Amino acid sequence: MRAHPETADTDLSGDPKEAIVALVRAGRDREAEDRARDWAGTHPGEAFGHAVLGSLLLGRGLAGEALPHLALAARLAPRAAEVQVNHGLALAETGDPQAALACYDRALELSPSCLPALTNRGGALEALGRPEEALESYDTALALCPDHAKALYNRGNALRDLGRQEEALGSYARALALAPDYAFARVNRGIVLADLGRSGEAEAEARQALAAAPGLPQALDLVARCLLARNADPAEAMALVERSLALDDGVEAKRLFVACATRLPARALAGGLAGHLTRALAEPWDRPERLAATAALVLESDPVVGPCLDRAVAAWPADIDAATLFGPAGPAPLGAQQLLTALLESGPVCAVPLERLCTLARRALLALAEAGDAGVTADPDALRFFAALAVQCHVNEYAFAATDDEERRAAALAAGLGEAGTSVLSLLAAAAYLPLADLPDASALAEAPWPPAARHVLAVQVREVLAERALRRTMPRLTPIEDEVSLRVRRQYEEHPYPRWTRTAPADAPQGLDGFLRRRFPRAPLAPRGGSGRLDVLVAGCGSGRHTLETARRFRGAEVLAVDLSLASLAYAKRKAAEAGAANIRFAQADILALGSLDRRFDLIESSGVLHHLADPHAGWRTLAGLLRPGGVMRLGFYSALARRDIPRARVLLQMRGYAPTTPSLRRCRQELLSLPQGDPLRRLLMQDVFTISGCRDLFFHVSEHTVTLPDIADFLARHGLTFLGFDIEPETLADYMRRFPDDPAATDLGHWHDYETEHQDTFLEMYQFWIQKNPY
């Protein structure tokens, strides 16, 4: 912190310009700012006042206010390198690194040895996704001044972005040798150590950073990350995350909150943390399904929701009237419980007690609508709950149990929705039982005046669905679809697009693929790809598009081609990508087996949970490998034969009981699965997929599915010049593997992994998700 001399020590009696400079040197910036503003006002054609005022505003973090003054100063004094640098800083801070780079280049033309221009030029190049050039700029600065701590720190950042972690560690260490209290350098050095699996050293760096800067959010985040990595008390990590969120509300802290919340008991998340939990679902802070089960457990102890859950579970499957279910206060308190409504709108509820409550609440809504309950209709909180319930029913594809009588009554309400005087309760009740977009007058219904809660339901159930239907009609087709199995798979996903999702995880700043992989798999035998700034990406089997969107936002320079068999899935994916502003994705219909005809090659190919549905998964894999450039990378997902050992038996049992892959049959099938006793081995299969119709069909009734083993994968890789880089897997599992097999520090020995999976058969219960690289030669 700058020292502030006594006022009497500063002589302000001379030249006004010199007085302003004296105030700046004395640390009396606000007085200097006032005088500089006056001078700029009285001498608008002179650079001095604008330059000083702009730099002082910039120093206060007011880049937007500083920018016009610095832009004018740069025009009035085009040969002043310092002014050009400050103008560049203001442009960079306001989100225009390209224009900032031009300013730094002009400053270097005027003064080739200008260190601020060189270091800030590197920062602009990093922001533009050009870390190699940024590194050159930092190295030039360090050649002029080897002891420049900020340049060393920035050099470490560029090296980290390039995936050169050991070199980055050295650069940070040099910066810290010059400035031991350089907290940001300590944090970033700790992040690299954590990426390398050296969490103990990383935590030590983060704690030293906190000693130097107790309020540094990045240091708090890193300590929390290290605590979670070594399975320490999640409550300690959560306390650090709470402090970080209060200071900065950053993306990493939000992600860590989710990680902590899934490890903490539900009682620890009540009270003060419930607000964060609600935001984490609504914004969201990660994929909402990561928190769905946790949020449902928290609601079980909620003073409003908990008693309703108890009454619903106790009554199930018998009917229960609204007064008994909701209690004396009615449904309004449920609508005022923001965590409940956020959960219902963010994705499938994924908890049996909450599903029971929602099912019985829907029956109560139907009865209230038929009775024309004016009290409920006039209560915005009650409408808020019922609207969230209708959204939940749409999201889970009307998976809740429904009697024939309920469906008949709901259809009667739906048939009368276009009539004058239709109540909002009738609209919400109909929306909770059937898709409003299928009604003949759906468009007119969506344009009618409704209360806010109902308008949201109509946006989700009508406007968005009709938009997808329009997108289907214009979707390009890249290849014919002629294979018999591909045609059957397409039919399944046209009927039930999968997976259902509403929100995706927040995006970090885009990063280079090489750096991403080197940080993810620091000891893997990764060959540098090099190449231009453009990254050609193929998502083969994009489904409903969530992972495609995450990939498009994750990688710098990504231009994504996303293909799928199903037009329904593609239309959903394209609508969601447009909502997110992702202009770098092109969607098209195609069969993976026919993609060999494409006259294109790709740097990255992703096909997760897709190839095992083909008639010949290996044929599809060979086709994709042929589309990969030398040195290119693939991310694949296959079902594990060992982890899914009980699925075939479950399928046989369900088919023997007469269940079929239709919505009514799947709805009944789900109820039997959810009612399995605790000792039944099939209960381990009650994953989140069971809570939607499409998920249940995908899990138990898929038209084509193969499983593989790790030796199968290893054999394919050896025969096709492909190198295994590593699994996408939970850190706790990876740490356990490393303890079991310390002779495999890269964690790339598939023989060892096969032994580990044999010992822990549910390790890959969802699927094998892994990265491989094609031989670059």
Side-chain angles (χ1 to χ4, degrees):
M1 182 178 293
R2 180 186 295 172
H4 294 280
E6 295 294 327
T7 304
D9 293 342
T10 305
D11 182 6
L12 305 180
S13 60
D15 182 276
K17 289 185 183 180
E18 293 179 2
I20 293 172
V21 172
L23 286 168
V24 173
R25 289 173 177 166
R28 293 161 59 181
D29 290 353
R30 298 304 288 269
E31 293 176 70
E33 183 182 316
D34 290 339
R35 292 201 179 202
R37 192 183 301 277
D38 290 341
W39 187 268
T42 56
H43 300 78
E46 188 176 317
F48 173 81
H50 296 289
V52 173
L53 177 58
S55 65
L56 290 168
L57 290 168
L58 195 60
R60 288 209 288 132
L62 302 174
E65 292 184 40
L67 183 56
H69 294 287
L70 290 170
L72 181 55
R75 288 198 298 272
L76 294 170
R79 301 197 60 78
E82 182 181 353
V83 173
Q84 297 296 333
V85 170
N86 284 341
H87 184 205
L89 282 169
L91 287 164
E93 290 291 325
T94 53
D96 193 349
Q98 188 66 57
L101 181 62
C103 291
Y104 303 140
D105 286 340
R106 283 195 293 273
L108 289 169
E109 290 173 7
L110 297 166
S111 177
S113 60
C114 179
L115 285 173
L118 286 166
T119 55
N120 290 312
R121 181 177 185 273
L125 288 164
E126 283 192 76
L128 290 167
R130 296 155 62 181
E132 296 92 346
E133 295 172 73
L135 187 59
E136 292 176 7
S137 193
Y138 298 138
D139 285 341
T140 302
L142 288 165
L144 293 168
C145 182
D147 293 340
H148 196 295
K150 183 176 180 180
L152 287 164
Y153 163 72
N154 287 341
R155 182 176 185 272
N157 293 342
L159 288 164
R160 176 173 173 254
D161 193 28
L162 290 166
R164 294 159 60 178
Q165 289 100 318
E166 294 294 342
E167 293 177 77
L169 288 177
S171 196
Y172 292 135
R174 287 174 60 194
L176 288 165
L178 295 166
D181 290 338
Y182 199 158
F184 281 105
R186 287 218 177 271
V187 169
N188 282 16
R189 188 170 192 274
I191 290 171
V192 174
L193 289 166
D195 288 343
L196 290 169
R198 296 157 62 180
S199 59
E201 296 171 74
E203 185 177 340
E205 291 284 2
R207 292 194 182 279
Q208 287 189 67
L210 281 176
L216 187 61
Q218 293 86 343
L220 294 165
D221 294 343
L222 181 56
V223 176
R225 173 184 169 184
C226 293
L227 290 172
L228 293 175
R230 61 180 172 85
N231 286 319
D233 182 3
E236 183 182 356
M238 180 64 92
L240 294 165
V241 171
E242 282 191 273
R243 286 174 57 193
S244 178
L245 287 168
L247 290 164
D248 186 53
D249 209 33
V251 171
E252 179 65 11
K254 292 173 179 178
R255 190 177 293 119
L256 286 165
F257 173 87
V258 174
C260 292
T262 58
R263 291 165 170 81
L264 285 168
R267 63 181 180 277
L269 294 167
L273 289 178
H276 285 323
L277 192 59
T278 300
R279 286 186 60 201
L281 285 166
E283 292 183 10
W285 291 0
D286 207 322
R287 288 188 172 187
E289 63 264 31
R290 289 201 63 195
L291 281 174
T294 298
L297 286 172
V298 172
L299 289 169
E300 288 183 13
S301 60
D302 180 80
V304 171
V305 181
C308 294
L309 287 168
D310 293 341
R311 290 189 288 268
V313 171
W316 186 264
D319 205 356
I320 182 172
D321 62 84
T324 304
L325 178 63
F326 298 127
L334 295 178
Q337 218 303 352
Q338 295 183 3
L339 177 59
L340 174 62
T341 55
L343 176 58
L344 293 179
E345 292 178 345
S346 65
V349 295
C350 301
V352 175
L354 186 54
E355 174 165 332
R356 301 303 189 218
L357 171 59
C358 288
T359 305
L360 295 178
R362 184 175 66 166
R363 290 182 192 170
L365 168 61
L366 183 60
L368 290 169
E370 290 172 326
D373 192 306
V376 173
T377 302
D379 191 320
D381 285 336
L383 294 182
R384 178 82 179 86
F385 168 67
F386 287 132
L389 177 60
V391 171
Q392 170 64 207
C393 294
H394 173 77
V395 167
N396 68 36
E397 302 149 303
Y398 304 94
F400 295 154
T403 64
D404 291 342
D405 178 61
E406 283 178 83
E407 292 184 341
R408 177 187 57 75
R409 291 156 58 201
L413 284 179
L417 287 180
E419 299 173 3
T422 301
S423 76
V424 66
L425 281 182
S426 295
L427 174 73
L428 295 178
Y433 279 93
L434 51 87
L436 295 182
D438 290 346
L439 298 178
D441 57 348
S443 294
L445 191 67
E447 297 305 319
W450 296 100
R455 289 201 296 270
H456 176 62
V457 173
L458 288 162
V460 170
Q461 290 207 23
V462 177
R463 294 191 187 91
E464 293 177 359
V465 175
L466 295 181
E468 290 166 28
R469 291 175 183 174
L471 289 171
R472 286 182 60 132
R473 294 191 289 271
T474 60
M475 192 69 64
R477 174 181 281 196
L478 289 185
T479 74
I481 303 172
E482 298 170 338
D483 178 81
E484 181 181 346
V485 171
S486 295
L487 289 168
R488 291 167 59 202
V489 172
R490 181 185 69 174
R491 188 177 307 115
Q492 172 174 332
Y493 290 123
E494 295 290 7
E495 294 169 356
H496 294 112
Y498 173 84
R500 299 291 297 184
W501 62 281
T502 59
R503 298 160 187 162
T504 190
D508 292 306
Q511 53 192 304
L513 177 59
D514 281 3
F516 168 83
L517 290 171
R518 182 55 65 196
R519 289 190 294 276
R520 179 69 66 92
F521 308 114
R523 296 181 179 87
L526 177 68
R529 295 180 317 101
S532 66
R534 177 187 171 104
L535 186 76
D536 289 309
V537 181
L538 170 66
V539 180
C542 66
S544 53
R546 175 156 62 177
H547 185 75
T548 301
L549 177 57
E550 291 172 347
T551 294
R553 297 192 300 188
R554 175 180 295 132
F555 295 117
R556 185 185 303 130
E559 293 295 332
V560 181
L561 171 62
V563 302
D564 201 86
L565 294 167
S566 162
L567 287 174
S569 299
L570 285 163
Y572 189 91
K574 188 169 184 177
R575 177 181 65 78
K576 296 294 284 185
E579 287 177 3
N584 59 334
I585 308 174
R586 178 191 172 206
F587 293 94
Q589 188 180 37
D591 188 347
I592 290 173
L593 294 173
L595 285 177
S597 61
L598 279 186
D599 188 22
R600 287 187 64 180
R601 294 298 178 266
F602 299 89
D603 304 294
L604 169 63
I605 296 177
E606 299 199 3
S607 189
S608 181
V610 178
L611 294 176
H612 50 227
H613 293 314
L614 300 180
D616 182 352
H618 288 85
W621 195 354
R622 285 191 296 271
T623 297
L624 295 181
L627 295 172
L628 197 62
R629 290 188 176 120
V633 175
M634 300 179 77
R635 181 183 184 271
L636 300 169
F638 287 99
Y639 285 143
S640 160
L642 193 56
R644 294 174 75 86
R645 60 195 177 276
D646 292 329
I647 296 280
R649 183 172 70 89
R651 287 180 174 152
V652 171
L653 287 174
L654 294 174
Q655 290 171 7
M656 288 175 60
R657 295 180 188 183
Y659 293 117
T662 64
T663 296
S665 183
L666 289 166
R667 190 180 292 135
R668 294 191 299 274
C669 174
R670 288 185 63 257
Q671 294 307 313
E672 180 167 345
L673 291 169
L674 295 179
S675 301
L676 289 171
Q678 286 293 335
D680 194 300
L682 293 185
R683 281 191 65 88
R684 62 181 284 276
L685 302 177
L686 298 187
M687 299 176 285
Q688 290 183 336
D689 279 351
V690 178
F691 290 89
T692 66
I693 292 295
S694 61
C696 190
R697 180 175 182 179
D698 199 78
L699 182 60
F700 293 114
F701 296 91
H702 204 287
V703 296
S704 174
E705 183 173 302
H706 303 268
T707 58
V708 300
T709 67
L710 289 176
D712 293 336
I713 293 172
D715 179 65
F716 187 96
L717 298 179
R719 287 187 290 108
H720 292 87
L722 300 165
T723 300
F724 183 76
L725 300 178
F727 288 108
D728 278 338
I729 200 164
E730 290 296 322
E732 297 86 351
T733 302
L734 180 60
D736 190 51
Y737 171 87
M738 299 294 288
R739 286 189 291 271
R740 175 70 175 81
F741 297 103
D743 61 323
D744 181 23
T748 55
D749 187 322
L750 289 176
H752 283 350
W753 274 109
H754 177 61
D755 293 339
Y756 184 87
E757 186 185 14
T758 302
E759 297 166 3
H760 307 277
Q761 296 187 3
D762 288 345
T763 300
F764 300 100
L765 185 57
E766 293 190 0
M767 68 180 75
Y768 301 120
Q769 298 268 15
F770 59 94
W771 295 78
I772 59 176
Q773 184 174 34
K774 190 173 185 177
N775 192 323
Y777 308 108

